[in-house]
Amino acid sequence: MWLKPEEVLLKNALKLWMMERSNDYFVLQRRRGYGEEGGGGLTGLLVGTLDSVLDSTAKVAPFRILHQTPDSQVYLSIACGADREEITKHWEWLEENIMKTLSVFDSNEDITNFVQGKIRGLIAEEGKHSFAKEDDPEKFREALLKFEKCFGLPEQEKLVTYYSCSYWKGRVPCQGWLYLSTNFLSFYSFLLGSEIKLIISWDAVSKLEKTSNVILTESIHVCSQGENHYFSMFLHINQTYLLMEQLANYAIKRIFDKETFDNDPVLDDPLQITKRGLENRAHSEQFSAFFRLPKEETLKEVHECFLWVPFSHFNTHGKMCISENYICFASQDGNLCSVIIPLREVLAIDKTNDSSKSVIISVKGKTAFRFSEVKEFEELVAKLRLKCGATSTQYHDISTEVPVSSDSIDPSDDTEVQSLTCQRECSRTVNTEALMTVFHPQNLETLDSKMLKEKMKEQSWNILFSECGRGVSMFRTKKTRDLVVRGIPETLRGELWMLFSGAVNDMAANPGYYAEVVEQSLGTCNLATEEIERDLRRSLPEHPAFQSDTGISALRRVLTAYAFRNPKIGYCQAMNILTSVLLLYAKEEEAFWLLVAVCERMLPDYFNRRIIGALVDQAVFEELIRDHLPQLTEHMTDMTFFSSVSLSWFLTLFISVLPIESAVNVVDCFFYDGIKAILQLGLAILDYNLDKLLACKDDAEAVTALNRFFNNVTNKDSPLPSSVQQGSNVSDEKSSQIRVDITDLIRESNEKYGNIRYENIHSMRCRNRLYVIQTLEETTKQNVLRVVSQDVKLSLHELDELYVIFKKELFFSYYWCLSSPVLKHHDPSLPYLEQYQIDCQQFRVLYHLLSPWAHSANRDSLALWTFRLLDENSDCLINFKEFSSAIDIMYNGSFTEKLKLLFKLHISPEKEKVNIQAYLSQWQDELLKKEENIKDLPRMNQSQFIQFSKTLYNLFHGDPEEESLYQAIAVVTSLLLRMEEVGRKLHSPTSAMKGLSGAAVCVSGVPSEGQAEKPLEKEPSSPREEPQWSFAFEQILASLLNEPALVKFFEKSIDLKAKLENAKTSQLSCRTKK
């Protein structure tokens, strides 16, 4: 393989390399120790270690070629090879093609420059035919074999990619290989006989970030279960970090957040994950988020090109992005200019005949876009024509300049006509006008100063429309943003909200959908509709529109329709406030699609049971506060104050804290800039009140200061009537307070914090999502431990360790058993104890790992019987409380409690006989907190007692006191049988000896191996038509208490801590391939 020429100091290199061939200009070397018998002994081991520690690729090729400059100790490495055949081909090529040419140069410097240029040319030529060396199937297959050999994970665990890096163990870097698979981050290093093996499951990662310090210039920090791990010396650290971030978030979503991501095909089948697939997925997500396109859109092609901007008369450089249904363009900085062209709007696609390599796209409304300097533009034109069914126009002189018609796309285009048609069909139930036009029509005859300003705003937008076009395909420029910051005119607000949010595309793609959903959802009654009815009149109650049946009915229809469309979200508080504002300025169907855009795209995961999205953005907000307002961070002892205060800001887009006339300006900016606008405004508000907040002594005082500030935010240009404006209702006696205009506040937020980039917010969201979900999981764990600790003798630390093992065993089912029904049982809305439950197979594995009786020959039977005993409701699942109660008895129970557990395991379950009377009795016992009385236990019959005795024999096997225990149990069984025989004789002398032969093997002494194993195939509850004898628990207990060896065995302490540690280390290995 040809290498980019790099300098090598030959003086030191000679210690590690041996010369094979040489001439005046080149040297072929072999790595010392390679190809020698025994691997070169100590020298080979030392060289291999140095390769692993010092070399950036962590795998030094055994052969290399150097270009030598005569009379110099500095050489240039120009090629390497994995074997002698590969390096020989390179050597022969140099001799045949380069050696003859070098003699014509006069100076050594010219020779070196020529060789460097030639090698770089060869590398560039190879690059044309190869995308990336990491995609080399042979190399990946080698890495996969090494991955499987080092970690022994199940074959279902799919390796995604691998990287060379250093893992910092303390202050010592250990060079090795980092393997990224679907469920684990794994690292392996072997240096001078010292092996380092690290396996971290993605679902345990609580922090993943890029860091740098004095020692590590750039590294990746991974925090898992309180332990910090640092990886550095990556060849492409940004690419590695993004892939790690994707895999971690993918695992978190698949395991903890299935409520939202059940329909994701990649999450449903992790075996389909590939490195390239993840990269494409990330690009598609960024693409659809930036241009506000439906989530289903995937990025297909990206072309660098120039877009002609007719109103500015210049070509702007940027990227053309193409998906299934859209052609989008964004200038290089992202803010200068952007365009979205739905293929449904395209009329024709042309190419120019000159050298500009231009693509002309004509759309409805007499508008055309010219993209120039497009590579392979002819192929692109053919693809686009095929994709949208467009044809070539009849005129070809359009290549010189593309005009934008001043009377471009009218808002009521064909797609809107379709939706209006559907609206008319159900006009009896769906409003086709915005509530603001109904309740506050503008009076053109009486124009005051505010109305004049409003008309001036409208005129500014009309000028923009004449230059940039109107509708979904309009040019979006810096001027567009400036106008949005000033506030959108009342008459244009609904139209532009639809445009900037992307809801116009959703509505166009689903004509008639809203009317159908309204019809289907009418009359439905469920929890969501009940909550909607309760909150209807709490939504902007001061506004006349929602004091009438017209507004209330429209609000009910939109919220009910959305709950019907998305039952996983249903209805959440704050949706009513947001929807009320949407209905004021948008038609009813438009308000529905705006709500869809907000809930499903712009504020993902905000409106669900755990409001994870809002919590994530609050964590992002705290991070931005630390970066931009450090003095406030230093003053506040607890950053959670900002979370509690700002939650309503994010959930309602400031509508709940600002007067309505000011809040709509915030909504304007939100639909244009997304969450970035809310974060910027939040920072600006804290910055404006910085001095007051620093003077506050407690949280309550700070909340009061902020509330007073919000009450004094005004919108001096709002044309709304004074009866509707909330800011104008402030009494005159408060006029001494400084009023803040919302337009000035938004403009200041853009000036001070406008440098916050979308990419940074996305990265912070991903990073903080891990932290938020792990925090919620920690809360769940603490609540479970608090409840369980009241009923067991296990310490909190032991319960904590046990919970981690319990949950990890459940997660292994998520990893590799995709068809397991247990995957459907994680529901965060359930009570804490019921969120995680395991089935019988998982319990069996945990029983083998944790039970002190797991060494018994019939341990599988014991595990099955224990699970059956714990599964009181017969749903084939047990929760952590039930699981820990069994472990607690095995380790901390008294002699009587342990014996009672074993006794109950061998008694037939009679759950089919449970009736209402039994339920009432159980309920009464729980009320009285009555402990189970040993007299309430049923008697043990003959076959059950035989199995019980054999279980005891199996438990004693391998114990130091094995002989004395066997003797003791033989004495006990003999005594019990004699007692039963005496009792039989008193009642029926002839039947006393019946059935004793079956117990003979237990009474006579230790059973043989074959005899002990055979009954294990039969459950202890094997029915007998007429059992000849039986024992009460009191009889067995009294007999065993007479034998000190038995009492000592059951009462001896067992080290649970060691068992837990061993279980944690072997939990994964017990599943690996043998």
Side-chain angles (χ1 to χ4, degrees):
M1 179 175 70
W2 298 109
L3 302 175
K4 181 181 177 182
E6 292 183 357
E7 290 187 356
V8 174
L9 192 60
L10 195 60
K11 181 179 179 181
N12 293 330
L14 287 173
K15 299 176 182 179
L16 306 177
W17 295 86
M18 298 180 66
M19 189 177 298
E20 294 259 313
R21 298 188 191 182
S22 67
N23 55 38
D24 292 339
Y25 300 105
F26 301 101
V27 178
L28 191 156
Q29 295 179 331
R30 173 175 56 84
R31 194 68 167 168
R32 191 177 293 275
Y34 180 82
E36 300 176 19
E37 293 185 6
L42 181 61
T43 303
L45 179 62
L46 178 62
V47 171
T49 298
L50 290 173
D51 287 345
S52 185
V53 173
L54 300 177
D55 191 80
S56 62
T57 61
K59 186 180 181 182
V60 178
F63 296 95
R64 72 177 182 181
I65 297 176
L66 305 179
H67 166 60
Q68 65 178 9
T69 305
D71 303 323
S72 173
Q73 289 293 321
V74 177
Y75 284 57
L76 297 174
S77 62
I78 59 173
C80 68
D83 52 44
R84 194 179 299 276
E85 181 181 358
E86 180 185 4
I87 204 68
T88 301
K89 286 183 180 179
H90 285 18
W91 179 265
E92 291 175 350
W93 188 91
L94 289 171
E95 286 187 327
E96 294 175 5
N97 298 278
I98 301 295
M99 284 294 294
K100 299 175 182 178
T101 309
L102 296 181
S103 58
V104 303
F105 292 101
D106 296 329
S107 67
N108 292 333
E109 184 178 355
D110 292 340
I111 292 174
T112 301
N113 291 336
F114 173 79
V115 171
Q116 286 181 309
K118 192 65 179 177
I119 298 302
R120 288 194 179 99
L122 290 172
I123 295 172
E125 189 64 28
E126 285 184 347
K128 293 180 181 179
H129 309 288
S130 173
F131 290 105
K133 293 298 177 184
E134 288 183 2
D135 293 340
D136 187 337
E138 192 61 36
K139 288 187 177 180
F140 188 86
R141 194 177 300 112
E142 291 176 9
L144 179 60
L145 292 173
K146 187 176 180 182
F147 171 71
E148 293 174 346
K149 180 181 178 182
C150 291
F151 303 102
L153 295 171
E155 60 184 10
Q156 299 97 319
E157 182 64 18
K158 182 173 181 180
L159 178 64
V160 177
T161 190
Y162 59 100
Y163 298 101
S164 165
C165 70
S166 288
Y167 171 64
W168 289 80
K169 195 172 183 180
R171 295 194 173 187
V172 179
C174 304
Q175 188 71 25
W177 289 97
L178 180 71
Y179 298 91
L180 306 181
S181 57
T182 50
N183 298 297
F184 297 98
L185 177 156
S186 310
F187 177 83
Y188 183 81
S189 174
F190 185 81
L191 305 174
L192 290 176
S194 175
E195 183 182 58
I196 297 176
K197 187 184 295 185
L198 180 69
I199 301 178
I200 301 172
S201 58
W202 291 118
D203 58 78
V205 174
S206 58
K207 182 180 288 187
L208 180 65
E209 60 182 354
K210 283 191 296 184
T211 60
S212 60
N213 53 40
V214 177
I215 300 176
L216 304 176
T217 53
E218 243 188 335
S219 64
I220 296 176
H221 171 211
V222 179
C223 181
S224 171
Q225 297 178 343
E227 296 183 359
N228 293 306
H229 308 276
Y230 293 89
F231 303 89
S232 65
M233 301 186 188
F234 290 96
L235 194 59
H236 304 289
I237 189 169
N238 290 330
Q239 179 194 60
T240 308
Y241 174 75
L242 289 175
L243 198 61
M244 292 170 69
E245 186 178 68
Q246 277 187 284
L247 286 168
N249 275 283
Y250 149 74
I252 289 290
K253 290 175 183 179
R254 183 163 63 99
I255 293 175
F256 296 118
D257 211 12
K258 286 182 69 63
E259 174 188 10
T260 308
F261 296 92
D262 266 338
N263 297 324
D264 195 313
V266 176
L267 298 177
D268 286 344
D269 188 4
L271 295 179
Q272 300 301 318
I273 291 179
T274 62
K275 178 187 173 185
R276 181 166 293 180
L278 286 172
E279 290 173 347
N280 292 340
R281 182 187 177 93
H283 294 151
S284 294
E285 288 176 351
Q286 292 173 6
F287 162 73
S288 58
F290 182 83
F291 291 106
R292 307 282 164 72
L293 301 179
K295 290 190 295 185
E296 298 77 20
E297 292 297 312
T298 55
L299 183 61
K300 298 297 185 182
E301 297 180 56
V302 178
H303 300 273
E304 283 200 25
C305 62
F306 290 87
L307 173 63
W308 173 249
V309 184
F311 51 87
S312 299
H313 300 287
F314 76 96
N315 281 307
T316 180
H317 181 245
K319 291 183 179 179
M320 178 199 293
C321 304
I322 302 172
S323 66
E324 294 96 331
N325 300 297
Y326 297 89
I327 302 170
C328 303
F329 176 88
S331 58
Q332 200 67 27
D333 62 357
N335 295 321
L336 183 62
C337 177
S338 64
V339 169
I340 301 171
I341 307 172
L343 294 184
R344 66 178 183 271
E345 299 285 320
V346 174
L347 297 176
I349 299 174
D350 291 276
K351 58 185 178 180
T352 57
N353 298 323
D354 55 22
S355 60
S356 63
K357 299 180 180 178
S358 296
V359 177
I360 312 293
I361 300 177
S362 303
V363 300
K364 298 174 183 177
K366 301 179 182 178
T367 306
F369 300 90
R370 185 178 70 185
F371 301 91
S372 58
E373 299 300 326
V374 182
K375 293 183 179 179
E376 300 177 350
F377 72 106
E378 293 180 345
E379 293 181 15
L380 178 61
V381 167
K383 288 180 185 178
L384 291 177
R385 285 177 180 172
L386 186 64
K387 186 184 287 284
C388 63
T391 58
S392 172
T393 57
Q394 296 178 356
Y395 50 92
H396 296 280
D397 57 344
I398 196 169
S399 59
T400 55
E401 182 173 335
V402 182
V404 176
S405 174
S406 59
D407 57 344
S408 53
I409 304 175
D410 189 86
S412 56
D413 59 5
D414 292 348
T415 56
E416 289 205 9
V417 170
Q418 291 178 6
S419 63
L420 286 173
T421 302
C422 296
Q423 284 180 346
R424 292 191 190 101
E425 292 176 358
C426 56
S427 58
R428 295 179 182 178
T429 57
V430 177
N431 290 336
T432 56
E433 295 293 335
L435 294 179
M436 193 63 74
T437 61
V438 176
F439 288 88
H440 303 294
Q442 293 186 4
N443 189 350
L444 299 179
E445 297 179 359
T446 57
L447 291 177
D448 55 12
S449 60
K450 290 185 178 181
M451 286 304 300
L452 285 173
K453 288 184 179 179
E454 187 74 1
K455 290 301 175 184
M456 290 174 64
K457 281 187 184 179
E458 290 182 24
Q459 186 61 29
S460 298
W461 277 96
N462 287 329
I463 294 172
L464 180 76
F465 292 150
S466 66
E467 293 178 350
C468 302
R470 186 170 184 174
V472 67
S473 299
M474 69 180 288
F475 283 89
R476 305 177 195 202
T477 63
K478 186 178 182 300
K479 186 176 180 180
T480 313
R481 180 191 297 278
D482 293 339
L483 290 179
V484 171
V485 169
R486 286 173 51 191
I488 298 175
E490 300 277 310
T491 55
L492 297 175
R493 192 161 263 144
E495 175 190 342
L496 293 177
W497 282 0
M498 288 289 290
L499 177 65
F500 296 145
S501 67
V504 64
N505 295 315
D506 294 323
M507 191 170 78
N510 298 278
Y513 175 86
Y514 175 66
E516 292 176 8
V517 174
V518 167
E519 187 175 349
Q520 293 171 4
S521 62
L522 282 178
T524 56
C525 184
N526 49 44
L527 180 60
T529 56
E530 291 175 5
E531 292 178 343
I532 290 170
E533 289 297 327
R534 183 187 62 204
D535 289 344
L536 282 176
R537 301 193 181 274
R538 302 177 186 176
S539 311
L540 299 185
E542 66 285 343
H543 198 284
F546 299 101
Q547 295 170 358
S548 70
D549 185 61
T550 302
I552 293 294
S553 298
L555 181 60
R556 179 188 292 113
R557 286 192 294 270
V558 173
L559 292 175
T560 305
Y562 186 78
F564 184 85
R565 165 190 167 87
N566 194 340
K568 290 181 180 178
I569 292 179
Y571 169 77
C572 295
Q573 285 187 340
M575 288 174 66
N576 60 320
I577 298 174
L578 176 62
T579 307
S580 301
V581 175
L582 299 179
L583 282 167
L584 288 178
Y585 294 99
K587 300 172 186 177
E588 189 174 319
E589 183 180 10
E590 293 175 342
F592 171 80
W593 287 112
L594 284 169
L595 184 63
V596 170
V598 171
C599 294
E600 298 177 14
R601 284 203 313 272
M602 301 186 73
L603 297 179
D605 298 346
Y606 263 59
F607 302 98
N608 56 26
R609 296 183 182 94
R610 296 194 292 176
I611 57 171
I612 289 176
L615 296 176
V616 169
D617 282 343
Q618 283 184 295
V620 172
F621 187 49
E622 290 179 13
E623 192 172 333
L624 291 171
I625 292 172
R626 283 190 287 267
D627 292 340
H628 295 277
L629 301 170
Q631 61 273 47
L632 190 58
T633 307
E634 294 169 4
H635 175 72
M636 303 299 293
T637 54
D638 188 3
M639 290 291 287
T640 56
F641 163 76
F642 298 110
S643 298
S644 59
V645 169
S646 63
L647 181 60
S648 62
W649 303 358
F650 290 96
L651 284 174
T652 66
L653 307 179
F654 285 94
I655 296 170
S656 63
V657 293
L658 286 173
I660 182 65
E661 66 274 11
S662 300
V664 291
N665 283 38
V666 178
V667 179
D668 294 342
C669 297
F670 168 75
F671 280 126
Y672 191 83
D673 272 333
I675 192 61
K676 178 176 179 283
I678 305 300
L679 294 169
Q680 288 177 182
L681 183 60
L683 290 173
I685 290 170
L686 295 179
D687 186 28
Y688 190 92
N689 293 276
L690 185 60
D691 294 336
K692 295 178 182 178
L693 292 173
L694 292 177
C696 293
K697 298 177 182 178
D698 53 36
D699 292 354
E701 196 174 341
V703 171
T704 302
L706 288 174
N707 287 338
R708 190 176 294 119
F709 167 80
F710 287 129
N711 290 335
N712 287 281
V713 175
T714 63
N715 186 351
K716 63 179 184 292
D717 297 333
S718 174
L720 290 179
S722 58
S723 60
V724 175
Q725 292 192 31
Q726 297 169 346
S728 62
N729 295 330
V730 180
S731 58
D732 294 337
E733 58 191 52
K734 293 186 179 180
S735 59
S736 59
Q737 296 286 341
I738 299 176
R739 298 296 181 88
V740 182
D741 188 73
I742 187 63
T743 305
D744 296 335
L745 191 61
I746 292 174
R747 184 180 293 111
E748 185 177 343
S749 73
N750 273 277
E751 291 172 356
K752 285 190 174 182
Y753 308 107
N755 59 347
I756 299 174
R757 297 177 60 84
Y758 292 103
E759 296 82 0
N760 297 338
I761 293 175
H762 175 75
S763 180
M764 285 190 284
R765 272 179 159 179
C766 291
R767 184 165 64 247
N768 284 287
R769 186 181 188 85
L770 297 175
Y771 168 75
V772 166
I773 291 187
Q774 294 293 3
T775 301
L776 292 173
E777 288 299 306
E778 182 65 21
T779 301
T780 299
K781 182 178 76 171
Q782 294 304 325
N783 281 287
V784 169
L785 298 187
R786 177 175 50 80
V787 172
V788 174
S789 62
Q790 301 173 5
D791 300 324
V792 297
K793 298 174 185 176
L794 296 168
S795 68
L796 277 176
H797 177 72
E798 291 170 338
L799 275 175
D800 191 297
E801 296 285 315
L802 195 62
Y803 183 86
V804 171
I805 295 171
F806 176 88
K807 193 165 129 182
K808 179 57 67 179
E809 187 60 37
L810 174 65
F811 284 0
F812 284 145
S813 298
Y814 290 96
Y815 293 168
W816 303 303
C817 304
L818 297 180
S819 59
S820 173
V822 78
L823 294 179
K824 302 176 183 178
H825 291 283
H826 176 225
D827 185 353
S829 66
L830 293 174
Y832 291 120
L833 274 172
E834 307 303 321
Q835 288 187 21
Y836 295 113
Q837 300 180 88
I838 58 174
D839 61 17
C840 186
Q841 177 61 24
Q842 294 158 345
F843 178 81
R844 184 185 69 84
V845 175
L846 291 177
Y847 187 91
H848 290 181
L849 290 171
L850 294 168
S851 173
W853 304 336
H855 64 276
S856 172
N858 64 336
R859 62 179 184 173
D860 284 337
S861 297
L862 285 175
L864 172 63
W865 301 337
T866 306
F867 181 85
R868 184 182 60 191
L869 180 67
L870 296 175
D871 183 21
E872 295 181 355
N873 59 357
S874 301
D875 64 348
C876 298
L877 295 169
I878 63 171
N879 60 35
F880 180 71
K881 183 177 182 180
E882 295 162 336
F883 173 75
S884 59
S885 65
I887 298 296
D888 183 55
I889 292 175
M890 293 178 192
Y891 282 92
N892 299 323
S894 63
F895 174 78
T896 303
E897 290 171 331
K898 292 179 181 177
L899 190 64
K900 184 166 67 174
L901 175 61
L902 285 170
F903 182 88
K904 290 165 71 175
L905 295 182
H906 292 78
I907 295 175
S908 301
E910 299 183 357
K911 294 176 183 175
E912 67 276 1
K913 296 182 181 180
V914 175
N915 53 27
I916 188 63
Q917 294 299 325
Y919 176 78
L920 291 174
S921 175
Q922 179 185 359
W923 177 65
Q924 185 177 7
D925 288 346
E926 289 177 355
L927 288 178
L928 298 174
K929 295 184 179 179
K930 172 184 172 184
E931 292 187 4
E932 186 179 25
N933 194 317
I934 59 177
K935 293 183 179 180
D936 298 333
L937 293 173
R939 295 175 68 86
M940 181 177 280
N941 64 32
Q942 173 182 328
S943 61
Q944 293 167 350
F945 179 74
I946 293 173
Q947 187 61 63
F948 176 75
S949 302
K950 291 181 178 180
T951 296
L952 293 178
Y953 276 121
N954 289 329
L955 291 180
F956 303 150
H957 181 68
D959 191 271
E961 304 293 329
E962 183 176 356
E963 282 299 322
S964 60
L965 289 168
Y966 282 159
Q967 293 301 324
I969 196 62
V971 171
V972 169
T973 51
S974 298
L975 176 61
L976 286 169
L977 289 171
R978 285 198 296 271
M979 289 170 58
E980 181 64 19
E981 183 180 354
V982 170
R984 286 287 179 189
K985 285 181 179 179
L986 292 176
H987 293 86
S988 176
T990 59
S991 62
M993 296 305 294
K994 289 183 180 180
L996 294 182
S997 58
V1001 79
C1002 293
V1003 179
S1004 61
V1006 183
S1008 66
E1009 185 177 349
Q1011 290 171 318
E1013 291 294 330
K1014 189 174 181 180
L1016 297 182
E1017 301 172 4
K1018 194 184 298 181
E1019 287 197 4
S1021 57
S1022 301
R1024 298 277 182 161
E1025 292 183 4
E1026 293 184 4
Q1028 300 299 314
W1029 41 262
S1030 62
F1031 297 111
F1033 177 72
E1034 303 98 300
Q1035 293 175 289
I1036 297 175
L1037 176 62
S1039 302
L1040 292 174
L1041 283 171
N1042 287 328
E1043 296 297 328
L1046 295 174
V1047 176
K1048 182 180 177 182
F1049 173 82
F1050 281 105
E1051 290 190 340
K1052 67 181 178 182
S1053 61
I1054 307 172
D1055 187 3
L1056 176 58
K1057 182 180 179 181
K1059 200 77 172 176
L1060 290 171
E1061 287 298 324
N1062 180 66
K1064 287 170 66 177
T1065 56
S1066 57
Q1067 192 174 11
L1068 181 59
S1069 61
C1070 70
R1071 289 176 171 268
T1072 58
K1073 294 174 287 187
K1074 305 299 181 187

